[in-house]
Amino acid sequence: MKLAVFSGQYFWFNGNNYSTDEAFVKFVMSFYPSFEKIVFCDAVKQERKRQPYLLNPRKFEVCPLPDFTICSFGSMLISAPRIYRIVRDNMWQWDLIWVHAPHPVSLIFAYVCRQLHKPFFLFVRQNFREYIVNRSRGKRFWAARMLAFILEHAFRTMSSRVLTFTVGREMYEIYGKTGRNVCQTAVSLIHDSDIDSGASRSKDAAVLRMVTVGRLDPEKGMIYLIEAVSDLVRSGTKGVMLDIVGDGSEGMTLRRKVDDEGLSDHVVFRGYIPHGEALFRVYRQSDVLILPSLTEGCPQVLFEAMACGVAIVATRVGGIPFFIEDGGNGLLVNPASPGEIVSAILRLKGDRSLLFRLANKGIETARKHTVEIERQHMLECIERHFNAPLAAV
């Protein structure tokens, strides 16, 4: 049985193998034991390049789509007819289609699935309207907002008839109003073997080591975290260090901000570190993961950090409050609020017992959301919805 996946991410081909730079592909690849082949039907960049996550050609294939930019309406219009032809001409080979939504290209997949009577399901990772709004500026703002509204409305209507997985509570509540076909899930890349037995208590109590992991893009709210560190340093607080893991469009702006504020002794840019042991080492050297996002689904870095015994400070956005209980397994702050981040940091720095209690509760949470558990939940929902074992879907 072949599973085709439109994940909405980019792939590269170096002449021998396909690869990608987004760790989400590892979650999809974990479904391989249930399918004879998984086909990624996604945009392929023209540059010959090898990215961190390599596809094993014996297990995974790529059906290349033309390179398009989701934030460019013109690019989407030009690419749409060609994408339609590629999807239509190849869909006969696929038995089940996993469609990442809401996304303009997802509409093409859904339309062709209906035409050819192919079973498919939707996968909603985050609030698309907020994502687009936080990435749009100037004249593009209202056009992008209108497009996002139309797309989300279309897929919410579709979810009344189509099996739909939502990542996190926020999107479950939005999509769940339209019908009974909506299942809540989470994206996790951690295995049981990745989870620490308990939070380490041997770290230097004089220094609070913080880490943030994610794209350096406006919607991730990194600027507010740097402002919080600046406020701490100006107030005379000693022993605070922040590692920033990731890269993105806002990278130069953030580095300039750190230099202008004189924070180079307190903030270190680590660049992009792929999911794996190198990233886990960074987590295990840290006390706190801080996520200052303005919009999120349920970021997989939450489970990664909790699995490594790291306490969590995160914003009350998207699906985060469903997994993080304020004062239970983490601390929650409002988005775009450097002052609240400062208060949370000072609270943890001054109370190591609270820090360790949150970290240990986080480990318990991580055990409930391993990749095996989340994958099995989705597979059971698929079989139940189609009223047949996967081999017969």
Side-chain angles (χ1 to χ4, degrees):
M1 184 178 189
K2 278 192 176 182
L3 172 68
V5 182
F6 170 66
S7 67
Q9 64 188 78
Y10 294 109
F11 285 83
W12 282 259
F13 185 64
N14 67 356
N16 295 307
N17 302 102
Y18 286 98
S19 61
T20 183
D21 61 348
E22 292 191 39
F24 174 71
V25 73
K26 295 185 70 174
F27 180 66
V28 179
M29 289 194 294
S30 74
F31 285 73
Y32 171 73
S34 298
F35 299 91
E36 62 180 284
K37 189 80 76 171
I38 296 178
V39 182
F40 291 92
C41 194
D42 282 293
V44 175
K45 291 285 189 180
Q46 296 304 306
E47 53 189 326
R48 294 167 70 94
K49 192 174 183 180
R50 177 168 173 168
Q51 295 288 2
Y53 308 110
L54 194 67
L55 300 189
N56 182 338
R58 293 193 303 272
K59 302 176 181 179
F60 311 103
E61 297 176 357
V62 173
C63 176
L65 298 183
D67 185 5
F68 56 82
T69 303
I70 188 172
C71 293
S72 170
F73 188 64
S75 171
M76 293 300 305
L77 282 178
I78 293 170
S79 301
R82 186 177 169 199
I83 293 172
Y84 168 77
R85 289 192 297 271
I86 293 172
V87 173
R88 181 199 60 197
D89 293 345
N90 285 275
M91 190 169 284
W92 65 271
Q93 307 174 64
W94 308 329
D95 301 292
L96 179 66
I97 296 88
W98 173 339
V99 181
H100 189 140
H103 190 291
V105 174
S106 303
L107 290 175
I108 297 175
F109 274 85
Y111 179 69
V112 178
C113 284
R114 291 295 191 191
Q115 275 189 318
L116 302 182
H117 306 288
K118 286 287 186 176
F120 72 102
F121 62 88
L122 303 177
F123 192 85
V124 182
R125 288 180 67 186
Q126 69 181 122
N127 190 317
F128 190 67
R129 273 192 285 177
E130 288 191 7
Y131 170 79
I132 289 295
V133 166
N134 280 291
R135 290 183 68 87
S136 302
R137 297 290 184 271
K139 296 179 180 179
R140 295 167 52 186
F141 176 82
W142 292 109
R145 189 169 186 173
M146 180 60 68
L147 175 61
F149 176 83
I150 292 171
L151 282 171
E152 188 170 281
H153 177 75
F155 283 101
R156 285 175 61 184
T157 301
M158 195 183 304
S159 68
S160 65
R161 306 182 305 274
V162 177
L163 175 62
T164 302
F165 291 96
T166 62
V167 178
R169 171 65 68 175
E170 179 194 36
M171 301 317 296
Y172 177 75
E173 291 178 347
I174 291 174
Y175 279 76
K177 295 176 182 177
T178 60
R180 300 178 181 179
N181 300 314
V182 181
C183 303
Q184 183 175 314
T185 189
V187 175
S188 174
L189 302 182
I190 61 167
H191 299 268
D192 288 329
S193 58
D194 297 325
I195 301 176
D196 287 352
S197 58
S200 169
R201 288 168 171 74
S202 60
K203 294 171 184 173
D204 183 2
V207 178
L208 187 74
R209 297 201 66 92
M210 303 171 290
V211 64
T212 188
V213 181
R215 296 191 317 275
L216 305 188
D217 290 339
E219 72 272 15
K220 295 300 182 179
M222 296 291 185
I223 193 74
Y224 302 107
L225 176 54
I226 291 175
E227 288 178 9
V229 175
S230 179
D231 290 345
L232 284 166
V233 172
R234 283 203 304 268
S235 69
T237 303
K238 299 185 182 302
V240 289
M241 292 293 299
L242 172 66
D243 288 323
I244 298 178
V245 177
D247 55 26
S249 62
E250 207 177 32
M252 290 302 297
T253 300
L254 297 176
R255 285 178 169 84
R256 194 177 305 116
K257 174 77 170 176
V258 167
D259 290 339
D260 291 346
E261 297 287 336
L263 300 175
S264 56
D265 291 337
H266 301 272
V267 179
V268 178
F269 289 89
R270 299 290 183 186
Y272 176 72
I273 302 177
H275 180 272
E277 188 53 40
L279 181 58
F280 284 174
R281 282 197 297 271
V282 174
Y283 284 130
R284 293 184 181 118
Q285 293 166 1
S286 306
D287 299 297
V288 187
L289 171 77
I290 302 184
L291 286 184
S293 304
L294 305 180
T295 176
E296 281 287 358
C298 179
Q300 61 208 32
V301 296
L302 285 181
F303 301 126
E304 294 168 2
M306 288 191 287
C308 294
V310 178
I312 304 294
V313 174
T315 46
R316 291 184 180 87
V317 298
I320 291 176
F322 178 73
F323 294 99
I324 301 299
E325 177 190 357
D326 190 26
N329 59 352
L331 298 179
L332 294 176
V333 299
N334 288 315
S337 300
E340 292 191 26
I341 297 175
V342 167
S343 297
I345 291 171
L346 290 175
R347 187 178 173 189
L348 293 176
K349 193 173 189 305
D351 188 347
R352 300 295 285 191
S353 63
L354 172 62
L355 180 74
F356 295 131
R357 180 169 61 80
L358 296 180
N360 283 317
K361 286 291 185 181
I363 289 173
E364 294 178 15
T365 302
R367 291 190 194 282
K368 299 175 183 177
H369 297 284
T370 62
V371 63
E372 293 86 358
I373 289 173
E374 298 299 339
R375 178 185 63 209
Q376 186 60 32
H377 168 64
M378 284 186 62
L379 291 172
E380 289 173 357
C381 289
I382 291 169
E383 291 189 334
R384 187 166 57 247
H385 177 80
F386 293 106
N387 195 29
L390 278 173
V393 169

